[in-house]
Amino acid sequence: MWEESFKNNGGLYTPGSIIIPTNEKTDSLSEDTSHGAEGTPHKFDQEASTSRHPDKIQRRLAQNREAARKSRLRKKAYVQQLETSRLKLIHLEQELDRARQQGFYVGNGVESSALGFSDNMSSGIVAFEMEYGHWVEEQNRQICELRTVLHGHVSDIELRSLVENAMKHYFQLFRMKSTAAKIDVFYVMSGMWKTSAERFFLWIGGFRPSELLKVLLPHFDPLTDQQLLDVCNLKQSCQQAEDALSQGMEKLQHTLAESVAAGRLGEGSYTPQMTCAMERLEALVSFVNQADHLRHETLQQMHRILTTRQAARGLLALGEYFQRLRALSSSWAARQREPT
Amino acid sequence: MDRVMRMSSEKGVVIFTKSSCCLCYAVQILFRDLRVQPTIHEIDNDPDCREIEKALLRLGCSTAVPAVFVGGKLIGSTNEVMSLHLSGSLVPLIKPYQSILY
């Protein structure tokens, strides 16, 4: 009982002055204190019993020392935890500041809270946003490198490793998103980590694979006849796969709406339909993963069809496209904030 | 499982689905776009539903539904179908079963 309230105080105490009952014998003493059952003063009782049992004093003193020691350790641990959290907060706020400077549109309650992030964001999502910040930094570095290298003379071998790295980098993002989707699928579906202009083009938590092909195609000239055929086929199959997933999503939305709307009006509790609705939401995670799988395969197929040099030009074009969207977002946000 | 073997070796494209599964619906839409009329086995109202699911997983399907078979051979689930289609390998497999109409 005493231990519990002590923990809740978070270690606010003065050492040596608390008697914490740790076994049955001393428990009876504390009961005397609270109830005064025998009608005799507690202090008198204490003196009476200890004068007859000197080893009892020793034992009690030892227990007190032990308890006090444990309390000090707990307080130390708690303070260390606070220190670590404080440092983490400072680091996060710095990251957010840096992100804003880079043109990230950090919105939706993230700016409004004094701490810099909403209480509703789980630590997993906060971790994802931090990781994404690093991902963009690496992306920008890779784009710079590709640009420099393509303007000069570069061996196919060196170019191939740059292309491989760029591909792996995209695949890493899909893995990150998959983890985040398990934590908060709505966050991923809504593309919350993206800038506003990127979100405008959102399709199931990311870019449209067919859009990707449209952006890249002009940069591949000249294409061989076989390549042209392959690219045409890829465009068509990509569009078909996208349409199929889109229709599946529509059905999911429809069935979810149905299970939310089901039931009679005036019913206070929503529980009966809740399980059904929750099952629908589980399916949403699968859809997000399928959409990313489609993006993954589209990139993979492009890589197969193109020469190394063409792939490098394509990846540069893709990277620059997203960079421009991000820059557009921050320009637009700045314009909106200007007084008219 | 016998029933699964029998159902999956039916001619053409066979898909095991559940009525509540929207990814199953997406896969059906894809085959329809490819001018194929797949045979659909909706297993959620089947008394042997659990057994069928287990059998499909044992056969090597990544998720029990949708499970796509072409000419008696297991193609896989949504992931596999998408990969095959984007690599251009799906159409040659289903060519014998494509309707010529449009």
Side-chain angles (χ1 to χ4, degrees):
Chain A
M1 180 194 77
W2 288 80
E3 293 253 299
E4 285 302 304
S5 61
F6 174 74
K7 268 187 215 155
N8 289 339
N9 273 331
L12 302 170
Y13 73 105
T14 42
S17 63
I18 287 192
I19 300 166
I20 297 173
T22 47
N23 59 38
E24 288 171 320
K25 291 196 178 128
T26 48
D27 256 352
S28 62
L29 201 69
S30 73
E31 280 190 16
D32 284 345
T33 321
S34 35
H35 301 118
E38 281 159 18
T40 45
H42 163 68
K43 204 171 181 221
F44 184 72
D45 234 15
Q46 198 178 6
E47 281 178 7
S49 57
T50 54
S51 62
R52 265 172 270 168
H53 308 280
D55 53 323
K56 230 185 189 177
I57 313 172
Q58 291 309 311
R59 193 169 48 235
R60 207 161 51 243
L61 285 174
Q63 283 165 356
N64 284 357
R65 276 197 297 274
E66 185 54 33
R69 190 182 75 88
K70 282 188 184 147
S71 300
R72 281 193 295 273
L73 284 174
R74 274 195 300 270
K75 181 182 183 182
K76 194 175 174 200
Y78 179 78
V79 169
Q80 269 176 353
Q81 225 177 44
L82 284 176
E83 279 297 297
T84 316
S85 301
R86 193 177 138 265
L87 287 172
K88 196 164 124 185
L89 266 175
I90 293 171
H91 179 69
L92 279 170
E93 289 192 278
Q94 283 174 350
E95 291 267 354
L96 278 171
D97 269 324
R98 219 187 321 156
R100 285 197 191 97
Q101 278 167 28
Q102 282 178 1
F104 274 53
Y105 179 65
V106 188
N108 243 52
V110 181
E111 282 169 316
S112 55
S113 158
L115 288 175
F117 58 90
S118 148
D119 291 321
N120 287 329
M121 258 204 241
S122 81
S123 60
I125 297 299
V126 171
F128 171 80
E129 293 215 337
M130 275 175 65
E131 234 191 312
Y132 181 68
H134 297 141
W135 188 89
V136 173
E137 277 173 22
E138 174 61 19
Q139 178 80 335
N140 291 338
R141 192 199 63 77
Q142 283 183 1
I143 291 166
C144 258
E145 201 174 3
L146 272 173
R147 196 182 293 133
T148 317
V149 141
L150 282 171
H151 275 146
H153 293 285
V154 61
S155 69
D156 256 18
I157 300 170
E158 197 193 331
L159 207 55
R160 194 175 310 149
S161 80
L162 286 178
V163 166
E164 293 296 320
N165 285 343
M167 297 285 285
K168 277 194 207 136
H169 198 56
Y170 279 111
F171 299 159
Q172 187 204 339
L173 181 61
F174 299 145
R175 279 195 302 275
M176 283 161 58
K177 282 169 71 186
S178 177
T179 311
K182 291 196 193 92
I183 299 167
D184 187 347
V185 72
F186 288 122
Y187 176 87
V188 177
M189 271 295 297
S190 319
M192 294 308 299
W193 69 97
K194 289 174 178 279
T195 60
S196 41
E198 286 175 289
R199 260 182 276 136
F200 180 64
F201 293 102
L202 205 69
W203 177 77
I204 314 184
F207 60 80
R208 266 183 194 277
S210 55
E211 228 6 82
L212 175 109
L213 291 176
K214 278 192 211 127
V215 165
L216 298 189
L217 210 54
H219 297 269
F220 299 144
D221 289 331
L223 285 168
T224 65
D225 285 343
Q226 183 59 50
Q227 281 181 324
L228 208 54
L229 184 65
D230 285 341
V231 167
C232 266
N233 287 335
L234 181 61
K235 262 178 96 177
Q236 190 182 39
S237 43
C238 191
Q239 191 65 61
Q240 286 165 335
E242 224 175 88
D243 287 343
L245 279 186
S246 294
Q247 292 196 51
M249 267 300 289
E250 269 176 41
K251 179 155 195 268
L252 184 59
Q253 280 180 325
H254 179 73
T255 52
L256 179 63
E258 266 189 341
S259 47
V260 170
R264 291 188 299 273
L265 284 176
E267 264 176 3
S269 162
Y270 173 58
T271 334
Q273 282 76 37
M274 186 76 89
T275 357
C276 187
M278 297 280 268
E279 280 169 21
R280 303 271 177 248
L281 292 181
E282 294 289 346
L284 204 54
V285 179
S286 316
F287 266 93
V288 170
N289 287 334
Q290 271 310 310
D292 272 349
H293 177 69
L294 205 61
R295 291 172 189 117
H296 184 295
E297 290 300 293
T298 307
L299 285 169
Q300 197 83 289
Q301 289 303 316
M302 284 307 305
H303 184 234
R304 182 187 64 87
I305 296 169
L306 301 170
T307 65
T308 311
R309 205 155 285 265
Q310 285 169 325
R313 283 209 301 271
L315 286 163
L316 176 60
L318 187 63
E320 283 187 343
Y321 178 73
F322 289 124
Q323 269 182 339
R324 286 181 205 155
L325 277 180
R326 289 195 278 269
L328 182 64
S329 299
S330 44
S331 300
W332 184 252
R335 180 182 180 278
Q336 299 230 282
R337 281 197 285 267
E338 273 164 35
T340 44
Chain B
M1 189 193 165
D2 282 339
R3 269 193 74 198
V4 171
M5 296 314 291
R6 238 184 319 115
M7 290 192 282
S8 63
S9 31
E10 283 164 19
K11 203 164 166 261
V13 179
V14 177
I15 312 180
F16 290 86
T17 67
K18 278 191 188 168
S19 57
S20 56
C21 171
C22 293
L23 271 181
C24 296
Y25 181 72
V27 166
Q28 288 178 61
I29 295 286
L30 181 63
F31 279 106
R32 193 194 63 187
D33 272 354
L34 297 176
R35 306 185 338 254
V36 169
Q37 287 262 52
T39 311
I40 308 293
H41 292 295
E42 231 173 56
I43 66 170
D44 43 347
N45 292 318
D46 194 298
D48 293 329
C49 180
R50 285 240 180 273
E51 291 303 310
I52 299 175
E53 267 186 279
K54 278 193 249 173
L56 289 170
L57 288 169
R58 265 200 304 269
L59 283 170
C61 210
S62 47
T63 43
V65 288
V68 180
F69 291 80
V70 176
K73 219 179 87 170
L74 175 66
I75 298 302
S77 194
T78 326
N79 251 25
E80 289 77 33
V81 170
M82 294 297 179
S83 300
L84 275 175
H85 191 42
L86 256 65
S87 67
S89 313
L90 186 64
V91 168
L93 283 176
I94 60 169
K95 226 180 177 72
Y97 316 110
Q98 272 181 315
S99 149
I100 321 161
L101 279 173
Y102 52 99

